[in-house]
Amino acid sequence: MSKTSTLQDVARVAGVSTATVSRVLSHPDMVSEATRIRVSNAVEVSGYRVNRAARNLRTQRAHSVLVLLPDLANPFFSAILEGISLNLSRKGYSMLIASTKQVHDSGERLIDYLDDARADGMIILDGGLDAEVISSLKVAAHSTRILFACEWVNETEFPSVRSENRRGTKAAVRYLHDIGHRKIGHVTGPEGNVLMQARKEAFVQEIIALGLEQQPEWLIPGDFSLAAGCVAAKAWIALENRPTAMFCVSDQVAMGFISEMSRRNFKVPEDVSVMGFDDIDLAEQFIPPLTSIRQDRLLLGQTAATMLLERLESPDDAGAEHMAIIPVSLIVRGSTAAL
Amino acid sequence: MSKTSTLQDVARVAGVSTATVSRVLSHPDMVSEATRIRVSNAVEVSGYRVNRAARNLRTQRAHSVLVLLPDLANPFFSAILEGISLNLSRKGYSMLIASTKQVHDSGERLIDYLDDARADGMIILDGGLDAEVISSLKVAAHSTRILFACEWVNETEFPSVRSENRRGTKAAVRYLHDIGHRKIGHVTGPEGNVLMQARKEAFVQEIIALGLEQQPEWLIPGDFSLAAGCVAAKAWIALENRPTAMFCVSDQVAMGFISEMSRRNFKVPEDVSVMGFDDIDLAEQFIPPLTSIRQDRLLLGQTAATMLLERLESPDDAGAEHMAIIPVSLIVRGSTAAL
DNA sequence: ATCCATGATGTAATCGATTGCAGGAGGTGG
DNA sequence: CCACCTCCTGCAATCGATTACATCATGGAT
């Protein structure tokens, strides 16, 4: 029992060749019904499990996908991972996880995962990779094996799955406008990040489209962290001419913002309406509950996995989808109020 | 360039046999300096990467470890994963991730991951597995390849890594007592969970040790979720004789509790002191900032990885550590106040 | 009766790295 | 000068599954 049985063992029990056993398992329609049943029984009694290493070697596939996160500790990614994992496992693939920071620090290179046959492809959730790393990924043999999700890299041809960042942002601004706000500010993400850029551009566009007042100091720089929200709150407090509503680039930032405001005895939404982006699990439980733009992270993950596998399994199919956009929706809660 | 080169290619370039190349890579001291250099150069120029599938097949190891979570969406696990990943990658292992729920739903069995050579071992972060699953894991060949972290399963001999649940709980109660509370309640975890049980027992012991008042209805049932905290808050409000401090089984529960209290116009810590357990990242930013028992999740993850690898690499070493306990510490913040 | 198509099965090569064993070169001691 | 030992390297088997090709039986068509 301690030793797992091999194809040979099953073949011996069933009185057939290993080829036949293999066929029963992978191409059942090539085998006659009688032997199929006999072999299936033999598989059953011997508790046979295919040896993945052997299969992977022979088929030249790893049957696994690497998911790269900028940071394992960010709860934003959990639902995306769940979606990826779900659709990968349905197709018999395993999910490897690594953080780009850790890979970089350890001196490994990302392409090694593909080159040494540990993974067939990778889903990258980090748009902030070094230009050097990006260019190493562009090598022809790999470009079809990589997909960006959530974030992406401008001016590259990697396929990607993303949320409707622009539409979501504009919906946020329009909502704040609809409930009476005319002075609307924005806590942006980290300089150079594609998400922050997309959202910031859309924000400015919509402000202009609605003919609202613009002040350079109402665009408060931040990143995606709680701490950035706190800093931004201090910046808001220090303003002469304060916006009555702030659109934050992420829920974490919004929470940090509100948290600092409350420490300084300002009230949300009485003194200022605050909204976020993402609609992470906690948004609903926060005090006050956070108005936000919901990203369907589970769907985003599932879509990413499915798209990548499709591309892996027919690499030459030029007709394959190159980009998928996942709808977002406005979720109104207590952190915003009519003016 | 599109095809990665093999040992054969390198051997040809260096003018040696594949055996020698392999030795240069895995046992450099068996090879003369001259050839070592020549081969190293050949490896360099050909951009050789070892093929993991081939190595895994030959060495009968997967060089990867499966981490099983009850639920990918719980931010509590992120730092643990980071710790595991860090120490695994240092030893050249990859980290596979799956959720026990998903594995179960898809009809896979956990032992399959070991039986089909996808993973050498597994770290289980879920103490709530079915008895049936547990017993399938006990098979002699596997028992040395499994390690529980955070949670564990009573009355089994699996090695485990855990935090000082009892000491942490007692420290919490003692702290609340020290700042003047005499009526202390506890929102417990899900019935049957080992953590909730350990913490609940320790809680009751310490209450008795300090000679404090006990009321059955001060032990409010919950689970580890935000929602459970909300429900518990309603239960607290409904009490005739209310505790002045509540020790919650997790930070998430504490946050839910506080959130609901605030919705009902009760104030924390003025009306009731609330504390959690875990010290997740958000605890510090919550309003009010949460008093909690900090678990060193990174260290816990690192320890788990290291212990498992040690056991995998010397399976017969009876002297190997069987259990590791990670220290916890009390973090006092604004959600608790002296009475 | 003969021939060929069809379907089922077996034979054996193959994927790429590792490693036990054998052999050769060079050095040492008797 | 020979026996022997050490150090280095190569040969070839091996891990276990997959699959191209060969073989064989069966049956239908002519």
Side-chain angles (χ1 to χ4, degrees):
Chain A
M1 248 316 173
S2 79
K3 199 100 167 92
T4 56
S5 52
T6 71
L7 264 195
Q8 292 258 20
D9 301 328
V10 178
R12 202 174 307 124
V13 172
V16 296
S17 72
T18 61
T20 300
V21 180
S22 175
R23 287 193 195 102
V24 169
L25 266 28
S26 327
H27 311 281
D29 46 330
M30 292 177 63
V31 175
S32 76
E33 171 137 13
T35 51
R36 195 186 321 148
I37 292 173
R38 198 146 41 90
V39 171
S40 300
N41 287 336
V43 167
E44 191 73 30
V45 303
S46 58
Y48 171 77
R49 298 271 100 203
V50 62
N51 181 313
R52 299 277 185 144
R55 166 191 285 179
N56 290 349
L57 174 59
R58 178 60 226 233
T59 60
Q60 302 285 54
R61 319 201 95 233
H63 295 282
S64 66
V65 164
L66 174 69
V67 179
L68 277 163
L69 309 175
D71 172 14
L72 276 172
N74 190 333
F76 171 72
F77 295 112
S78 56
I80 300 176
L81 288 184
E82 197 146 14
I84 294 174
S85 165
L86 192 61
N87 280 21
L88 285 184
S89 72
R90 279 183 184 156
K91 296 277 191 172
Y93 281 72
S94 312
M95 179 172 75
L96 287 166
I97 303 245
S99 85
T100 48
K101 198 171 39 163
Q102 221 173 78
V103 171
H104 182 265
D105 290 352
S106 70
E108 286 182 296
R109 295 172 315 162
L110 291 183
I111 39 169
D112 285 354
Y113 279 84
L114 302 182
D115 278 343
D116 67 13
R118 250 181 302 179
D120 297 318
M122 49 204 240
I123 296 176
I124 306 183
L125 297 173
D126 182 356
L129 298 174
D130 293 350
E132 186 192 352
V133 174
I134 296 289
S135 68
S136 76
L137 295 176
K138 279 187 189 162
V139 177
H142 297 319
S143 53
T144 56
R145 303 167 62 184
I146 292 172
L147 181 139
F148 278 78
C150 269
E151 306 207 359
W152 63 93
V153 178
N154 283 325
E155 292 156 34
T156 61
E157 286 299 311
F158 293 113
S160 65
V161 179
R162 17 182 132 166
S163 286
E164 295 178 316
N165 289 292
R166 288 172 190 279
R167 206 183 68 77
T169 302
K170 292 182 178 182
V173 175
R174 213 170 317 119
Y175 157 72
L176 292 171
H177 175 264
D178 284 350
I179 61 174
H181 293 276
R182 293 298 176 262
K183 295 158 65 174
I184 303 176
H186 178 31
V187 184
T188 67
E191 199 67 42
N193 178 286
V194 287
L195 290 182
M196 102 93 188
Q197 200 161 338
R199 291 176 194 170
K200 183 176 167 184
E201 282 173 18
F203 176 84
V204 172
Q205 281 171 19
E206 191 65 12
I207 291 289
I208 293 174
L210 293 171
L212 297 179
E213 180 179 355
Q214 289 187 73
Q215 297 293 342
E217 64 270 25
W218 291 355
L219 292 177
I220 304 178
D223 53 39
F224 292 113
S225 70
L226 281 162
C230 298
V231 174
K234 289 175 194 153
W236 182 90
I237 292 170
L239 289 175
E240 281 282 308
N241 179 15
R242 294 173 178 152
T244 62
M246 292 300 294
F247 168 63
C248 297
V249 74
S250 79
D251 283 354
Q252 293 223 57
V253 171
M255 290 178 186
F257 191 97
I258 294 173
S259 157
E260 183 67 21
M261 291 298 272
S262 131
R263 245 170 264 136
R264 304 305 194 88
N265 291 317
F266 286 89
K267 290 210 155 135
V268 176
E270 291 80 357
D271 296 322
V272 59
S273 283
V274 177
M275 64 180 293
F277 201 111
D278 292 345
D279 193 32
I280 61 178
D281 296 346
L282 198 75
E284 190 176 357
Q285 302 298 332
F286 202 71
I287 308 168
L290 212 56
T291 295
S292 189
I293 302 294
R294 170 178 297 166
Q295 296 196 54
D296 191 337
R297 290 139 68 213
L298 188 74
L299 179 61
L300 198 148
Q302 290 188 281
T303 307
T306 301
M307 259 178 77
L308 181 63
L309 292 188
E310 271 171 10
R311 296 176 64 90
L312 288 178
E313 284 169 9
S314 55
D316 33 77
D317 185 358
E321 294 295 342
H322 196 76
M323 198 194 301
I325 308 269
I326 309 295
V328 298
S329 51
L330 172 68
I331 307 292
V332 176
R333 298 202 186 90
S335 66
T336 50
L339 198 62
Chain B
M1 245 320 170
S2 78
K3 200 100 166 94
T4 56
S5 52
T6 71
L7 263 195
Q8 292 258 19
D9 301 327
V10 177
R12 203 174 307 123
V13 172
V16 296
S17 71
T18 60
T20 301
V21 180
S22 174
R23 287 191 193 106
V24 169
L25 266 27
S26 326
H27 312 281
D29 46 328
M30 291 177 65
V31 176
S32 77
E33 172 139 14
T35 50
R36 195 187 317 151
I37 292 173
R38 199 145 40 89
V39 170
S40 300
N41 288 336
V43 167
E44 191 73 28
V45 303
S46 56
Y48 171 77
R49 298 271 102 202
V50 63
N51 182 312
R52 299 278 185 142
R55 166 190 285 179
N56 290 348
L57 173 58
R58 177 60 226 231
T59 60
Q60 302 285 55
R61 321 201 92 231
H63 295 283
S64 67
V65 165
L66 174 69
V67 180
L68 277 163
L69 310 175
D71 172 13
L72 275 172
N74 190 334
F76 172 71
F77 296 111
S78 57
I80 299 176
L81 288 184
E82 197 146 14
I84 293 174
S85 166
L86 191 61
N87 280 21
L88 285 184
S89 72
R90 279 185 185 155
K91 296 277 191 173
Y93 280 71
S94 312
M95 179 172 77
L96 287 167
I97 303 243
S99 83
T100 48
K101 198 171 39 165
Q102 222 173 77
V103 170
H104 182 264
D105 290 352
S106 71
E108 286 183 297
R109 294 173 315 163
L110 290 183
I111 38 169
D112 285 353
Y113 279 83
L114 302 182
D115 277 343
D116 67 14
R118 249 182 302 179
D120 296 319
M122 49 205 244
I123 296 176
I124 306 181
L125 297 173
D126 182 355
L129 298 174
D130 293 350
E132 186 192 352
V133 175
I134 295 290
S135 69
S136 77
L137 295 176
K138 280 188 190 163
V139 176
H142 296 318
S143 53
T144 56
R145 302 167 64 184
I146 292 171
L147 181 139
F148 279 78
C150 270
E151 307 206 358
W152 63 93
V153 178
N154 283 325
E155 292 157 31
T156 61
E157 285 301 310
F158 293 114
S160 66
V161 178
R162 17 179 134 166
S163 287
E164 296 178 315
N165 288 292
R166 289 172 189 277
R167 206 183 67 78
T169 302
K170 293 184 178 180
V173 175
R174 213 169 318 119
Y175 156 72
L176 292 171
H177 175 264
D178 284 350
I179 60 173
H181 293 277
R182 294 296 175 267
K183 294 157 68 175
I184 304 176
H186 178 33
V187 183
T188 67
E191 198 67 43
N193 178 286
V194 287
L195 290 182
M196 102 91 188
Q197 198 161 341
R199 291 176 194 170
K200 184 175 167 186
E201 281 173 19
F203 176 85
V204 173
Q205 280 170 19
E206 191 66 12
I207 291 288
I208 293 173
L210 293 170
L212 298 179
E213 180 179 355
Q214 287 187 75
Q215 297 292 342
E217 64 271 25
W218 291 356
L219 292 178
I220 304 178
D223 53 40
F224 291 114
S225 71
L226 281 161
C230 299
V231 173
K234 290 175 195 153
W236 182 89
I237 292 170
L239 289 175
E240 283 281 309
N241 178 17
R242 294 172 179 154
T244 62
M246 291 299 294
F247 168 63
C248 297
V249 74
S250 80
D251 284 354
Q252 293 221 59
V253 170
M255 290 178 185
F257 191 96
I258 295 174
S259 159
E260 183 65 23
M261 291 297 271
S262 133
R263 244 170 265 136
R264 304 304 192 90
N265 290 317
F266 285 89
K267 291 210 154 134
V268 175
E270 291 80 356
D271 296 322
V272 58
S273 284
V274 177
M275 64 180 292
F277 201 112
D278 291 345
D279 192 31
I280 61 177
D281 297 347
L282 198 75
E284 191 176 359
Q285 302 297 333
F286 201 72
I287 308 169
L290 211 58
T291 295
S292 190
I293 301 294
R294 170 177 296 166
Q295 296 196 53
D296 191 337
R297 289 139 68 215
L298 188 74
L299 178 61
L300 198 148
Q302 290 187 281
T303 307
T306 301
M307 258 178 78
L308 180 63
L309 293 188
E310 272 171 9
R311 295 176 65 90
L312 287 178
E313 284 170 11
S314 53
D316 31 76
D317 185 358
E321 294 295 341
H322 196 75
M323 197 194 303
I325 308 268
I326 309 295
V328 298
S329 52
L330 172 68
I331 307 292
V332 176
R333 298 203 186 90
S335 67
T336 50
L339 198 63

